[in-house]
Amino acid sequence: MRTPHLRTLLVCGAAVMTVLSTTTPAVALPTCPGNAICLWRFQDGTGEVYIWRGGYVDLPSRFVDHVYSFRANRTGAFIDWAKGKECHAVRKGDYASNYGARFGSKMDAVGDTC
């Protein structure tokens, strides 16, 4: 009679251990003002922040090719000029805590549209 219960407990325990060992905690980015896009120089919304509120803007030199996280509270476009114009559209609600491995290591400017 104890064998079915023990087997059930072992299966449940193994399932819980699998979930706990594969889950990584999500890092919450800091808040960003409404109708703005915030760019951080380091991952997880750390380091210096640049707040973009609209229009075309060349990024300050310390942010060029060094945007490692962002939060968008409006639409916009991330632009790279290295090989002509490469542009990535951003929508309200988009964010990345590790953007340096993607387009953040190439960004030169921010604008309203591509």
Side-chain angles (χ1 to χ4, degrees), residues 12-13 16 20 22 28 42-43 49 51 59 61 65 92 110:
C12 288
V16 167
L20 290 176
T22 59
F42 299 111
Q43 292 179 8
V49 64
I51 300 173
L59 291 176
S61 61
D65 301 334
K92 183 177 181 176
V110 184

Side-chain angles (χ1 to χ4, degrees), residues 11-104:
V11 169
C12 288
V16 167
M17 290 305 292
T18 300
V19 169
L20 290 176
S21 66
T22 59
T23 303
T24 55
V27 175
L29 290 175
T31 60
C32 181
N35 202 35
I37 295 177
C38 295
L39 309 172
W40 286 275
R41 290 198 58 217
F42 299 111
Q43 292 179 8
D44 304 322
T46 59
E48 187 178 0
V49 64
Y50 178 80
I51 300 173
W52 176 82
R53 297 184 190 273
Y56 176 87
V57 177
D58 288 319
L59 291 176
S61 61
R62 60 195 174 279
F63 282 87
V64 171
D65 301 334
H66 289 90
V67 175
Y68 288 93
S69 51
F70 79 90
R71 176 179 300 282
N73 287 332
R74 63 169 292 160
T75 59
F78 296 161
I79 302 165
D80 174 36
W81 291 109
K83 298 176 185 171
K85 183 180 181 181
E86 183 180 352
C87 188
H88 288 221
V90 182
R91 295 175 305 208
K92 183 177 181 176
D94 288 350
Y95 67 93
S97 60
N98 185 5
Y99 200 54
R102 296 181 289 174
F103 200 70

